[in-house]
Amino acid sequence: MLGGIQNSKLLVTNLIDHAAREHTNREIVSYWADGSLTRSNWGEIGVEARKFSQALQKLGMKKGDRIATIAMNHVHHLATWYGTAGIGGVLHTINPRLFEEQLVYICNHAEDRVLLFDKMFTPIIELIKPQLKTVEHFIQFDGEKGEYSTYRELVDAEDGDFTWVDVEENDPVGLCYTSGTTGNPKGVLYEHRSNVIHAITEVQPDVMDLATKSVMLPVVPMFHANAWGIPFAAAAVGSKLVFSASNEAPVLWKLIREEKVTHSAGVPTVWLSMFADMDTNGGDYGDLTTVIIGGSACPRAMIERLMKNDIRVGHAWGMTETSPIGTTGAYPANWDELSFDEQVDVICMQGRPPYGVELRVVDEDGNELPRDGESSGTLEIRGPWIIQRYFQADEDAVGEDRWFDTGDVAVLHPDGTMQITDRAKDVIKSGGEWISSIELENAAVGAPGVAEAAAVGVYHPKWDERPLLIVVRKPDSDVSGDDIKSYLTDKIAKWWMPDEVIFVDELPHTATGKILKRALRDEYKDYKLAGVE
Ligand code: ADP
């Protein structure tokens, strides 16, 4: 027997239709690479997306075709997301900071037919173009017309009188590649259904807490796991969006203050530069109430500073394979009874999962470990927006029970709070026990004078590995290794104390702004600790 309720499909195009109809005049602001600022709204994006669908069809694009972008966050980029969905196409966002070989591999593997790009990335296009096997059309998003067709000229030729191509809710709509820290990058193919359920989840108070009255500035780029789904979630509730094609701190602060931004989202390194700018140039947090920080563990000092200014920190954990929201550090029921320090303790962990996400921690043999706040093991996840199979792969990325191995090491607490202790490949193995490189780093960046820190394990004849702490000093600081060690004394277990602290001018980062631990491990592979043969 079937139930008696309508079976409306969950489609990404319904999100833009809803936003355009119910939140027509709610603004979408775009700060462009040339320093100009434009204002649009959900109503206009609804029309513009249809025009882009028409333009794609004129170029011969059809259902299932991959339309790629190498672009920063802006309103044209947004319209292409929805316009591509409108012909049943697959929008493939590409991270411009990847190496040339990776860019070429990804475009060819995805079999992209159209490639839209920001003018600032023209040198990248010139570099990879001769090696691209499937791209038929190169389209420039912004700036003066040069050699390539422009987005404006294509879109302005259309009238917007277009009916979305009929698709099923399990049809693909988006494609993102993992950064490929091991082997070639792998594609994650999102569906209409998974994106819509993810969007509806994301607006919840315990997740991103988005509403019509919210003003969201996603600092996270649209090429980093769909800007964490924000362009879809904002459409579901008609939030105002503020896009910036620049990630310079002064630009972001100006936008936050002048556009009355209430919500923002980005990786921790963004806030390092925002704080540094604020410390030099002064200024306030404007109307900010909520910042979502994730992508790597958020240091305690950062959480404390924001919370002292009455800003909620949503400490988000997730990955490209999880659309990307896994957890967002929701407040527990007893939040109001906790002291400030206890509240910070809670937010330092990655939090409980929203409905839809299931988490478990398993040992090396795959046995589920207790949620006792102590047993640490591999974190596994499953749910309606979690990967089943990588794009073009021959087999599933999960077993029959659908649990996906995240490659992270975590502990689950009795109330379900999840705490990442490390990435499996980053843990420091000392004397048969594990030292969390994340906790060590986060404690170290709390020390006065420390701008950034990374901990890696280096060879030790007795203990296998011992921690080496690699530090970038704040400008004008002359903090010493001994200063940092004495600061750490009451913050970490005694046997976690780094054997040595060394200083560098900068640390290598991945294409999404995380510290590139693999490169550091390679660089310091043969590092000789003092007194060690
Ligand atoms: P990449 O593997 O290219 O970095 P992702 O952006 O998908 O791509 O990274 C996902 C990984 O980032 C997670 O598996 C985890 O190791 C790390 N990560 C994300 N958020 C957090 C967080 N809040 N705390 C600790 N680690 C995090």
Side-chain angles (χ1 to χ4, degrees):
M1 187 167 69
L2 288 176
I5 304 298
Q6 298 181 12
N7 195 6
S8 310
K9 294 181 204 169
L10 301 176
L11 301 178
V12 161
T13 40
N14 294 343
L15 288 171
I16 188 63
D17 282 346
H18 169 81
R21 186 176 61 239
E22 310 299 337
H23 305 282
T24 320
N25 298 317
R26 194 72 177 126
E27 270 187 311
I28 317 272
V29 174
S30 229
Y31 178 90
W32 296 88
D34 66 1
S36 62
L37 188 121
T38 57
R39 292 180 189 280
S40 182
N41 57 44
W42 283 111
E44 285 174 9
I45 299 301
V47 178
E48 184 110 342
R50 285 186 159 74
K51 290 184 180 179
F52 186 69
S53 296
Q54 291 174 305
L56 283 178
Q57 285 195 333
K58 212 175 257 178
L59 295 176
M61 297 305 126
K62 47 183 201 335
K63 217 165 159 171
D65 283 342
R66 268 79 72 197
I67 311 300
T69 60
I70 301 188
M72 300 300 288
N73 294 1
H74 52 66
V75 73
H76 294 349
H77 201 173
L78 181 71
T80 61
W81 281 29
Y82 285 111
T84 300
I87 63 155
V90 176
L91 201 280
H92 172 204
T93 48
I94 301 175
N95 186 335
R97 295 176 204 135
L98 293 173
F99 299 122
E100 176 187 344
E101 311 85 78
Q102 288 178 320
L103 291 168
V104 171
Y105 173 84
I106 286 175
C107 277
N108 287 336
H109 188 264
E111 298 170 30
D112 296 322
R113 290 188 68 194
V114 174
L115 175 53
L116 294 118
F117 61 95
D118 285 356
K119 187 161 191 198
M120 66 166 108
F121 299 128
T122 311
I124 296 180
I125 300 299
E126 297 297 325
L127 196 67
I128 63 174
K129 199 173 155 189
Q131 306 166 67
L132 300 185
K133 300 192 180 121
T134 58
V135 178
E136 298 154 50
H137 305 279
F138 292 87
I139 301 164
Q140 185 182 309
F141 259 133
D142 58 343
E144 290 294 300
K145 182 177 161 66
E147 181 189 341
Y148 300 101
S149 318
T150 64
Y151 167 86
R152 274 263 64 87
E153 102 193 299
L154 287 181
V155 164
D156 288 346
E158 306 301 333
D159 61 9
D161 183 9
F162 180 79
T163 307
W164 305 129
V165 170
D166 191 30
V167 294
E168 297 308 320
E169 60 175 25
N170 288 112
D171 283 348
V173 70
L175 178 63
C176 268
Y177 280 75
T178 62
S179 67
T181 34
T182 49
N184 277 327
K186 289 183 280 210
V188 182
L189 196 58
Y190 306 106
E191 300 172 357
H192 283 267
R193 178 177 186 271
S194 65
N195 275 356
V196 171
I197 304 178
H198 185 265
I200 302 171
T201 302
E202 201 156 64
V203 300
Q204 294 174 14
D206 276 350
V207 186
M208 287 199 185
D209 190 23
L210 284 173
T212 306
K213 65 181 172 54
S214 310
V215 182
M216 168 54 106
L217 190 165
V219 182
V220 52
M222 291 169 81
F223 53 74
H224 186 193
N226 289 329
W228 301 349
I230 290 165
F232 300 123
V237 288
S239 304
K240 170 175 166 178
L241 278 176
V242 181
F243 286 126
S244 179
S246 158
N247 283 342
E248 298 292 324
V251 171
L252 296 175
W253 279 128
K254 189 168 148 58
L255 289 170
I256 286 173
R257 291 170 193 142
E258 291 182 1
E259 298 300 329
K260 305 203 177 314
V261 169
T262 57
H263 289 56
S264 188
V267 293
T269 42
V270 166
W271 284 99
L272 287 180
S273 66
M274 299 283 281
F275 288 156
D277 182 81
M278 188 179 247
D279 292 342
T280 316
N281 300 318
D284 57 29
Y285 292 86
D287 291 350
L288 264 187
T289 60
T290 309
V291 300
I292 306 299
I293 302 181
S296 39
C298 186
R300 185 180 188 95
M302 188 172 284
I303 293 173
E304 241 168 23
R305 177 162 176 174
L306 289 162
M307 281 177 55
K308 274 191 185 138
N309 286 282
D310 290 328
I311 294 171
R312 175 199 157 199
V313 179
H315 188 180
W317 167 84
M319 47 201 313
T320 306
E321 287 90 336
T322 66
S323 289
I325 295 297
T327 63
T328 33
Y331 291 170
N334 64 346
W335 179 258
D336 292 332
E337 292 143 37
L338 301 178
S339 68
F340 180 79
D341 284 341
E342 287 167 335
Q343 291 181 338
V344 174
D345 289 343
V346 169
I347 300 302
C348 283
M349 297 186 278
Q350 282 73 2
R352 281 168 300 138
Y355 165 74
V357 169
E358 287 176 81
L359 298 176
R360 72 172 187 183
V361 167
V362 299
D363 67 14
E364 280 167 8
D365 301 321
N367 302 312
E368 187 167 352
L369 294 168
R371 296 178 166 216
D372 57 7
E374 281 170 21
S375 306
S376 119
T378 304
L379 179 67
E380 297 191 328
I381 184 169
R382 66 179 179 187
W385 57 87
I386 312 301
I387 189 158
Q388 177 77 23
R389 176 182 290 223
Y390 289 103
F391 182 53
Q392 313 254 32
D394 296 330
E395 41 185 75
D396 285 348
V398 295
E400 236 165 66
D401 54 9
R402 292 183 291 110
W403 285 108
F404 175 71
D405 175 349
T406 64
D408 285 330
V409 180
V411 165
L412 284 174
H413 290 261
D415 71 347
T417 299
M418 189 272 285
Q419 182 179 7
I420 298 275
T421 52
D422 228 326
R423 278 196 175 195
K425 35 191 184 321
D426 293 342
V427 283
I428 300 166
K429 298 189 177 94
S430 177
E433 303 255 22
W434 287 1
I435 298 176
S436 159
S437 67
I438 292 187
E439 277 184 55
L440 209 49
E441 289 158 5
N442 284 350
V445 287
V450 173
E452 229 183 337
V456 292
V458 295
Y459 171 72
H460 191 284
K462 178 161 177 210
W463 305 110
D464 274 343
E465 282 184 347
R466 287 297 303 157
L468 170 72
L469 189 70
I470 309 163
V471 170
V472 179
R473 287 191 183 96
K474 282 189 180 156
D476 306 328
S477 163
D478 58 1
V479 65
S480 71
D482 285 341
D483 294 340
I484 295 173
K485 283 191 187 179
S486 67
Y487 172 85
L488 289 175
T489 316
D490 59 352
K491 300 193 174 55
I492 55 170
K494 207 167 157 203
W495 63 279
W496 284 28
M497 188 59 76
D499 282 34
E500 267 176 55
V501 180
I502 57 171
F503 295 91
V504 294
D505 291 337
E506 63 180 335
L507 289 169
H509 289 96
T510 69
T512 49
K514 308 179 192 193
I515 295 174
L516 193 53
K517 296 291 262 302
R518 183 173 40 91
L520 288 174
R521 271 198 303 275
D522 287 348
E523 189 176 344
Y524 293 95
K525 199 169 57 208
D526 301 322
Y527 187 86
K528 290 231 163 23
L529 292 166
V532 165
E533 279 312 305

